[in-house]
């Protein structure tokens, strides 16, 4: 299922790990700057719910290996086919994951599998044909996709959407679009969720295809290298460079240049990614870079408006060749699995907010660490504010800089009782803990830190 494109404490502060684990009082500082902005926090559960991975249950692989792997990762959604639906139910029962499902044109089988999964609480969504440019489908006796007419692909997608939305059990579940619709040969309108009037498409205006756009915006894209801001740019809804992103699927199709949404509409278009990834052998940087890039990808995608992001793939070598797996072929975790585990474990929160307190918004800003206040914040520094159920904030701050590092300061709008800094490459124990803090020095390079703030 390939698209057309085919440190520990030192990372945060110059201190030893032992000293980093002990809480310490913040140094006396002037009150935090009044220029800090109030930022609305997003529920941490919504972010965790967005994290997905591609599996191959339908190809007969041993789900006994999948269960501990998914439990370790902490992701909450998977993507698979419909041939082994009972095993998908078992995965849900053992791990809690819900499944996005699709197949190559068998509508009855897809709907039946959806009903089985929905009854078990294991269904996430339905998906249209997977990359018909690479894997043509047959629908109603006609083959479509690749260099043929894409009418059978469009008719299957139209009929899938209509069937789901008129089914009392299934109508609440979302339908994801065809992937790689930008390869359509004839203008059947797959660059639209619903074809508008005047679009000039082969399929009629008003044809409804999907609730969510669905590119396969692989992070490596067609860039042939490891670049600054690679995950951030791959997630950009209007960028038209070396990424197979939203623009070339839904703005102007990459194969024939058929027009779709304008930039303003693309920025708010409901969207998911059902495949993205990084090969730890053929892509630059080896296994550690794969892990850092993929954690950054989860964060960048969600921060830029993607509802779900599925990484290809769970196990090494499944579903084809390559080394995109999060786990080795013997099911030992690669750094990618270890870093994703750290991300989900750090963010996982239980309990309820104390009476009268909710984690709705936080005043903060990130600036260059003095004595460099006049310099702009590097464009490779990004942040995402999340709120845990217990009333604490989890601020993800990550760098996407291939070489070098940036010293910055997190300025808070008030003193906070406890601030703990985690590094996803260093595990699930804080690398720095402050008490009564309104400023936190951070060093950002090519991966993510999580700053947990207790009001």
């Amino acid at each position: 299922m390939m698209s057309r494109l085919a440190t520990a404490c030192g990372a945060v502060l110059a201190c030893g790990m032992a000293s980093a684990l002990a809480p310490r009082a913040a140094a006396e500082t002037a009150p935090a700057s009044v220029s800090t902005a109030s930022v609305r926090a997003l529920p941490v559960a919504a972010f965790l719910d967005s994290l997905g991975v591609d599996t191959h249950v339908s190809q007969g692989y041993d789900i006994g290996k999948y269960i501990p792997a998914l439990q370790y990762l902490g992701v909450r959604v998977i993507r698979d086919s419909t041939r082994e639906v009972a095993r998908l139910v078992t995965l849900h029962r053992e791990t809690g994951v819900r499944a996005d499902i699709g197949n190559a044109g068998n509508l009855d089988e897809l709907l039946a599998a959806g009903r089985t999964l929905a009854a078990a609480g294991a269904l996430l969504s339905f998906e249209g044909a997977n990359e018909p440019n690479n894997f043509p489908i047959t629908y109603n006796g006609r083959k479509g996709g690749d260099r043929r007419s894409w009418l059978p692909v469009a008719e299957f997608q139209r009929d899938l959407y209509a069937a789901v939305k008129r089914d009392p059990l299934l109508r609440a579940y979302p339908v994801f679009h065809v992937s790689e619709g930008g390869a359509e040969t004839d203008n059947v309108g797959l660059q639209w969720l619903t074809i508008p009037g005047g679009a000039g498409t082969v399929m009629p205006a008003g044809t409804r295809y999907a609730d969510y756009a669905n590119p396969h915006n692989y992070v490596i894209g067609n860039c042939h290298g490891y670049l600054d801001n690679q995950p951030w740019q791959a997630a950009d809804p209007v960028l038209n460079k070396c990424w197979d992103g939203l623009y070339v699927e839904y703005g102007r199709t990459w194969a024939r240049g058929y027009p779709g949404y304008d930039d303003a509409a693309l920025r708010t278009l409901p969207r998911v990614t059902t495949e993205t990834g990084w090969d730890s052998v053929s892509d630059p940087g080896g296994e550690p870079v794969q892990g850092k890039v993929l954690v950054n990808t989860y964060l960048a995608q969600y921060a830029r408006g993607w509802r779900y992001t599925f990484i290809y793939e769970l196990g090494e070598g499944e579903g084809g060749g390559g080394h995109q797996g999060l786990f080795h072929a013997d099911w030992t975790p690669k750094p990618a699995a270890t870093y994703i585990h750290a991300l989900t474990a750090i963010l996982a929160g239980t309990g309820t907010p104390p009476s009268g307190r909710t984690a709705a918004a936080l005043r903060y800003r990130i600036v260059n660490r003095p004595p460099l206040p006049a310099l702009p914040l590097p464009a490779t520094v990004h942040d995402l504010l999340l709120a845990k159920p217990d009333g604490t904030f989890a601020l993800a701050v990550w760098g996407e800089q291939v070489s070098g590092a940036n010293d910055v300061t997190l300025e808070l709008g008030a003193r906070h009782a406890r601030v703990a800094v985690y590094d996803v490459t260093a595990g699930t124990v804080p690398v720095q803990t402050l008490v009564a803090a309104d400023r936190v020095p951070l060093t950002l390079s090519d991966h993510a830190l999580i700053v947990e703030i207790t009001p």
Side-chain angles (χ1 to χ4, degrees):
M1 295 186 179
M2 294 294 292
S3 77
R4 71 183 178 99
L5 309 170
T7 70
C9 187
V12 182
L13 288 176
C15 59
M17 180 63 73
S19 63
L21 303 185
R24 60 186 176 85
E28 288 299 320
T29 62
S33 169
V34 295
S35 64
T36 56
S38 181
V39 179
R40 183 175 65 89
L42 302 174
V44 72
F47 170 70
L48 292 173
D49 285 347
S50 78
L51 308 184
V53 67
D54 287 81
T55 57
H56 294 90
V57 172
S58 62
Q59 296 183 20
Y61 291 102
D62 181 7
I63 66 167
K65 305 293 187 182
Y66 283 21
I67 290 169
L70 290 169
Q71 289 172 333
Y72 177 75
L73 281 181
V75 301
R76 298 185 178 182
V77 292
I78 61 173
R79 174 183 183 247
D80 217 298
S81 186
T82 56
R83 290 194 295 272
E84 296 286 349
V85 66
R87 282 149 53 92
L88 293 177
V89 171
T90 299
L91 274 185
H92 169 72
R93 186 174 63 245
E94 296 297 326
T95 69
V97 295
R98 295 181 295 152
D100 166 52
I101 55 170
N103 65 31
N106 190 331
L107 183 58
D108 290 339
E109 180 183 280
L110 184 51
L111 295 171
R115 293 186 191 103
T116 298
L117 292 171
L123 179 64
L124 174 73
S125 55
F126 295 89
E127 184 180 341
N130 175 64
E131 298 183 4
N133 55 320
N134 296 319
F135 310 103
I137 73 167
T138 299
Y139 184 60
N140 288 336
R142 292 181 298 144
K143 197 167 188 178
D146 60 31
R147 297 181 180 180
R148 301 174 175 84
S149 169
W150 280 52
L151 266 173
V153 178
E155 291 168 351
F156 175 64
Q157 185 70 28
R158 173 201 64 192
D159 293 349
L160 169 62
Y161 189 85
V164 168
K165 297 308 175 183
R166 66 172 173 258
D167 188 300
L169 179 62
L170 302 177
R171 64 177 52 150
Y173 292 92
V175 176
F176 298 166
H177 216 325
V178 174
S179 53
E180 294 302 318
E184 62 184 357
T185 53
D186 36 0
N187 188 5
V188 295
L190 293 172
Q191 67 272 29
W192 305 98
L193 302 185
T194 299
I195 299 176
T201 55
V202 176
M203 294 289 280
T207 300
R208 302 187 69 182
Y209 284 133
D211 299 306
Y212 288 88
N214 176 25
H216 283 176
N217 55 334
Y218 276 82
V219 191
I220 188 68
N222 198 30
C223 302
H224 307 297
Y226 179 30
L227 312 174
D228 285 355
N229 268 339
Q230 201 139 354
W232 190 254
Q233 293 189 81
D236 191 319
V238 299
L239 185 67
N240 182 24
K241 288 190 177 178
C242 54
W243 285 276
D244 190 13
L246 195 69
Y247 179 84
V248 296
E249 304 291 345
Y250 296 92
R252 183 168 291 273
T253 63
W254 56 265
R256 299 293 179 92
Y258 298 131
Y261 296 97
D262 62 21
D263 285 1
L266 286 174
R267 289 188 176 94
T268 59
L269 192 68
R271 54 190 180 269
V272 301
T273 292
T274 55
E275 286 186 29
T276 185
W278 191 271
D279 192 296
S280 61
V281 173
S282 64
D283 294 340
E287 291 186 359
V289 165
Q290 180 197 36
K292 295 172 185 178
V293 163
L294 292 181
V295 169
N296 290 350
T297 296
Y298 274 148
L299 291 165
Q301 290 271 125
Y302 195 76
R304 305 203 78 166
W306 300 76
R307 181 64 187 87
Y308 297 102
T309 298
F310 295 81
I311 287 173
Y312 193 89
E313 58 186 325
L314 183 64
E316 193 83 304
E318 296 190 355
H323 300 274
Q324 293 172 307
L326 304 179
F327 290 83
H328 296 111
D330 65 359
W331 290 99
T332 55
K334 294 164 75 173
T338 303
Y339 301 166
I340 292 169
H341 163 76
L343 175 71
T344 60
I346 292 164
L347 293 180
T350 58
T352 57
S355 176
R357 189 178 78 189
T358 58
L362 178 71
R363 296 195 66 85
Y364 74 91
R365 69 172 185 167
I366 302 169
V367 298
N368 273 286
R369 187 188 300 176
L372 304 173
L375 294 180
L377 193 69
T380 54
V381 174
H382 309 287
D383 59 283
L384 174 66
L385 181 63
L386 304 169
K388 292 189 175 187
D390 63 1
T392 61
F393 294 100
L395 176 63
V397 188
W398 70 100
E400 296 188 16
Q401 186 164 306
V402 172
S403 61
N406 297 289
D407 290 333
V408 301
T409 298
L410 168 63
E411 291 188 351
L412 300 169
R415 290 190 184 276
H416 292 272
R418 178 179 180 270
V419 178
V421 179
Y422 298 82
D423 181 334
V424 298
T425 69
T428 58
V429 176
V431 295
Q432 181 190 10
T433 303
L434 303 174
V435 296
D438 61 10
R439 281 190 172 93
V440 185
L442 303 170
T443 297
L444 298 170
S445 55
D446 60 355
H447 63 279
L449 308 177
I450 306 297
V451 184
E452 186 178 77
I453 301 162
T454 303

